[in-house]
């Protein structure tokens, strides 16, 4: 176990559906991140949360809506997605500040939009 | 800001042969450097990191990397690879400071064959 748990592992959804991805960590980390990883493309940082506050949104379309109710949980709410949104969505956490420990990643959610 | 370049997108190698995966970084300040490994449909796992001190860093699974400040490089090496080392490898850089984030390279696919 990596210490960061993502559910579900796999998700197939239609373009009109609404679903949510969940990320949970009990490492005592204060920062959490959402990444998108598409085939043949670099890792894309989507959102950053520090102490439950969103500190970065990298021009992500509004059909992706993050939520961080506390430092241990992070959600990504999905609605009216497009086929090009199919990808592996990775959650990560860190102690925040200085990044001496790097990030701890979850195993990801493989999302397929049909 | 920091950036990292992984010069090879794919590296094919025979089992039991040595391998080197290249990583160069750019930064105007001191850096922390990381190598991560990603197996298929998994998240990224930390292999090793350089923070300061000895320039030769040893990590898990027999990998090591050498920090070279003059060449701004942090190449990853293994003297004898195994089939199970087949994976994607990511180099990442950050800098000291509370607002620092990890910046990832585009990844190198290591393909080990018999």
């Amino acid at each position: 176990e990596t210490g960061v748990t993502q559910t579900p592992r796999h998700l197939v959804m239609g373009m009109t559906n609404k679903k949510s991805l969940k990320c949970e960590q009990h490492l005592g980390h204060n920062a959490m991140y959402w990444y998108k990883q598409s085939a043949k493309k670099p890792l894309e940082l989507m959102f950053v949360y520090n102490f439950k506050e969103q500190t970065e949104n990298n021009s992500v379309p509004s059909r992706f809506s993050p939520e961080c109710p506390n430092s241990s949980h992070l959600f990504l709410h999905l609605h009216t997605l497009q086929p090009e949104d199919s990808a592996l969505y990775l959650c990560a956490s860190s102690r925040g500040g200085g990044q001496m420990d790097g990030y701890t990643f979850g195993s990801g959610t493989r999302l397929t939009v049909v | 800001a920091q950036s990292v370049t992984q010069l090879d997108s794919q590296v094919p190698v025979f089992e039991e042969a040595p391998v080197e995966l290249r990583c160069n970084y750019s930064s105007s300040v001191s850096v922390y450097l990381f190598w991560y490994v990603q197996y298929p449909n998994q998240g990224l796992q930390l292999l090793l990191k350089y923070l300061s001190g000895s320039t030769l860093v040893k990590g898990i699974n027999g990998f090591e990397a050498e920090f070279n400040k003059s060449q701004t490089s942090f190449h990853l090496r293994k003297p004898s690879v195994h089939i199970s080392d087949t994976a994607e490898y990511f180099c990442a850089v950050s800098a000291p400071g509370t607002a620092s984030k990890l910046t990832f390279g585009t990844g190198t696919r290591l393909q080990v064959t018999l």
Side-chain angles (χ1 to χ4, degrees):
Chain A
E1 290 296 327
T2 64
V4 177
T5 302
Q6 289 188 245
T7 54
R9 288 297 310 274
H10 301 273
L11 178 62
V12 179
M13 59 185 289
M15 290 189 285
T16 59
N17 290 159
K18 290 185 180 180
K19 296 286 184 183
S20 295
L21 310 185
K22 179 182 177 182
C23 176
E24 184 173 357
Q25 59 91 9
H26 295 288
L27 300 169
H29 290 171
N30 298 312
M32 297 188 78
Y33 313 82
W34 279 117
Y35 280 88
K36 177 184 179 183
Q37 188 177 35
S38 305
K40 311 291 186 186
K41 294 177 75 173
L43 279 169
E44 299 175 55
L45 179 62
M46 301 174 72
F47 302 103
V48 180
Y49 278 81
N50 280 283
F51 295 94
K52 303 188 302 178
E53 299 298 320
Q54 187 181 119
T55 54
E56 190 160 335
N57 175 341
N58 281 323
S59 303
V60 181
S62 59
R63 59 185 183 270
F64 295 91
S65 175
E67 178 189 3
C68 189
N70 54 61
S71 293
S72 299
H73 294 86
L74 184 65
F75 295 89
L76 188 62
H77 303 301
L78 316 171
H79 64 97
T80 58
L81 294 191
Q82 304 299 311
E84 60 264 29
D85 297 323
S86 298
L88 182 67
Y89 288 84
L90 292 166
C91 174
S93 69
S94 72
R95 285 201 291 174
Q99 304 303 352
M100 292 177 68
D101 297 329
Y103 296 173
T104 301
F105 282 85
S107 296
T109 295
R110 172 68 63 186
L111 174 67
T112 303
V113 181
V114 297
Chain B
Q2 297 77 42
S3 67
V4 61
T5 301
Q6 292 185 245
L7 299 166
D8 306 299
S9 59
Q10 292 188 69
V11 173
V13 65
F14 290 111
E15 191 175 34
E16 297 183 4
V19 70
E20 177 180 86
L21 306 183
R22 297 182 291 170
C23 172
N24 287 86
Y25 69 91
S26 174
S27 177
S28 58
V29 298
S30 60
V31 293
Y32 300 143
L33 292 157
F34 305 81
W35 275 101
Y36 283 83
V37 60
Q38 184 181 30
Y39 300 104
N41 291 312
Q42 294 291 322
L44 279 68
Q45 177 185 359
L46 183 65
L47 267 180
L48 48 79
K49 63 182 178 183
Y50 170 80
L51 303 180
S52 65
S54 173
T55 57
L56 183 63
V57 180
K58 293 189 183 298
I60 61 172
N61 301 342
F63 283 93
E64 63 181 32
E66 186 159 17
F67 171 62
N68 188 319
K69 187 174 181 179
S70 63
Q71 296 188 8
T72 61
S73 68
F74 189 56
H75 300 333
L76 181 70
R77 303 186 182 101
K78 186 170 183 177
S80 176
V81 295
H82 191 267
I83 289 283
S84 60
D85 292 322
T86 295
E88 191 88 16
Y89 291 79
F90 293 89
C91 182
V93 63
S94 72
T98 56
S100 179
K101 298 194 310 290
L102 282 186
T103 299
F104 288 89
T106 51
T108 297
R109 169 76 177 168
L110 176 64
Q111 182 68 51
V112 182
T113 55
L114 294 173

